[in-house]
Amino acid sequence: MDVELLTLAGAAAEALVQAVVSDGWTGVRARIARIMGGGDPARVKAEEVELERFGQALRDSAIPAAVMAGHWQGRIVELLTRRPECAGEITGLLRELQDGAPGATNVRIGGHNNGNLIIGDHNITRMGRSERP
């Protein structure tokens, strides 16, 4: 897997999770849905619905921020693998989100790193650690 692609997807996913609790969530949601949906109106609408469910679950603390970030990192990696031309749009959105709006709320995304890199909700890749008995 391309490390740059993975890094971009991870940063974008974390920024997306941060955006959920910001005043600009509606605009971010529409933009990422348009990118993920590839311009197809039906797919864009489906992405908006999923993003709103995701946002509500995060705001309700029903799903941890780290889990959501991992899910969206996987989705963004998949998108960039299929459509690498979207990297510019993702990078632009990421820059805007990282600049942040005044008064933005930060959501802590993290935890203990045990040598696993989790991408999406079903892929686990071991990185540089041996198994312990």
Side-chain angles (χ1 to χ4, degrees), residues 40 49 61 77 89 96:
D40 175 344
V49 168
S61 299
V77 164
E89 287 181 271
E96 290 174 30

Side-chain angles (χ1 to χ4, degrees), residues 69-93:
H71 168 78
W72 284 99
Q73 181 181 15
R75 294 278 323 273
I76 295 168
V77 164
E78 178 187 355
L79 170 73
L80 293 173
T81 300
R82 279 186 296 111
R83 297 180 29 226
E85 69 275 9
C86 291
E89 287 181 271
I90 296 290
T91 301
L93 179 59

Side-chain angles (χ1 to χ4, degrees), residues 14 21 23 59 67 114:
E14 287 189 21
V21 294
D23 292 336
R59 287 187 297 274
V67 172
N114 62 359

